[in-house]
Amino acid sequence: VSTPKAINKIVLYPNPVSNDLAINIPQSGCLAVYDAAGKQIYSTNVTSGTAILNTDGYSDGIYLVKLISDKGTDIAKFVKRKG
């Protein structure tokens, strides 16, 4: 029995998050974070692997992480809660 793996999908953990959010990035591209109002609050170029996003300065709420790469676009949601 094989374990299913996410293909070309961003994986976020822990979710909800209180400070550091780990982001498994399937391929290199541009990673952006948006608040619930749709305002971009963070953007950086990333390579495949795991990135850590410090959310200490973020208010409680729902955020979207968007990865744009040559293989397409993926969006994932996380919830910020003060710890």
Side-chain angles (χ1 to χ4, degrees), residues 32-43 58 62-65:
V33 178
Y34 297 86
D35 65 14
K39 179 181 175 186
Q40 182 176 307
I41 56 173
Y42 179 78
S43 178
Y58 293 19
I62 297 172
Y63 294 85
L64 296 177
V65 175

Side-chain angles (χ1 to χ4, degrees), residues 45-83:
N45 289 322
V46 292
T47 58
S48 61
T50 301
I52 303 297
L53 177 68
N54 184 307
T55 65
D56 282 344
Y58 293 19
S59 299
D60 285 4
I62 297 172
Y63 294 85
L64 296 177
V65 175
K66 183 177 186 179
L67 176 67
I68 301 171
S69 73
D70 59 356
K71 294 184 179 180
T73 301
D74 188 30
I75 299 172
K77 178 174 64 173
F78 73 91
V79 176
K80 165 67 178 183
R81 290 190 188 148
K82 298 280 187 222

